[in-house]
């Protein structure tokens, strides 16, 4: 588990733009089951990938179409919530950071760590915007 002071600014990068933090299993199940589209960001401390993942997620919201619901879990902090979110992302293996778009509870788009790491935030945002334009 990471110290709360360490992850606070990383959490706030997403909550400041409207992401809801999910910190338990029930909240994850409820959020993903909602009608409409839900973007789930598995946040992470990892500087080599998360440093561009969070800005990419934020930038992706500058689009005419966007998810109805924005939620996040934090790997290495909210273990049970993260495990539950990842269970909804099967068959994709657990990775963090990662991002998943759900429509009416069904996984329709996935960005795994290997799609994020080494890519600029703009490229991550563009990938997500493409998914929003298709599913939202």
């Amino acid at each position: 588990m990471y110290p709360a002071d360490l992850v606070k600014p990383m959490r706030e990068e997403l909550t400041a733009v409207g992401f809801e933090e999910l910190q338990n299993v029930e909240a994850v199940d409820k959020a993903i089951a909602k009608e409409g589209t839900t973007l789930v960001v598995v946040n992470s401390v990892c500087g080599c990938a998360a440093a561009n993942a969070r800005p990419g997620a934020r930038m992706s919201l500058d689009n005419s179409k966007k998810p109805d619901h924005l939620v996040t879990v934090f790997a290495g902090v909210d273990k049970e919530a993260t495990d539950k979110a990842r269970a909804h992302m099967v068959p994709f293996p657990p990775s963090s950071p990662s991002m998943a778009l759900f429509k009416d509870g069904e996984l329709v788009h996935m960005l795994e760590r290997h799609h994020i790491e080494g890519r600029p935030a703009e490229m991550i945002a563009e990938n997500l915007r493409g998914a929003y334009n298709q599913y939202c």
Side-chain angles (χ1 to χ4, degrees), residues 33-105:
K34 283 184 179 178
E35 190 173 314
T37 52
T38 302
L39 178 64
V40 179
V41 174
V42 178
N43 202 347
S44 172
V45 171
C46 170
C48 56
N52 285 338
R54 290 183 296 271
R58 288 192 328 263
M59 291 168 60
S60 76
L61 301 176
D62 184 20
N63 195 51
S64 61
K65 292 183 178 183
K66 51 190 135 197
D68 300 309
H69 315 284
L70 305 169
V71 299
T72 181
V73 295
F74 208 115
V77 178
D78 302 315
K79 183 178 178 357
E80 292 81 14
T82 302
D83 288 347
K84 187 61 173 181
R86 287 173 171 164
H88 286 279
M89 297 173 192
V90 170
F92 297 96
S95 67
S96 56
S98 61
M99 302 175 197
L101 184 64
F102 292 86
K103 185 169 185 170
D104 298 328

Side-chain angles (χ1 to χ4, degrees), residues 100-111:
L101 184 64
F102 292 86
K103 185 169 185 170
D104 298 328
E106 179 185 337
L107 179 63
V108 293
H109 187 76
M110 185 73 190
L111 273 176

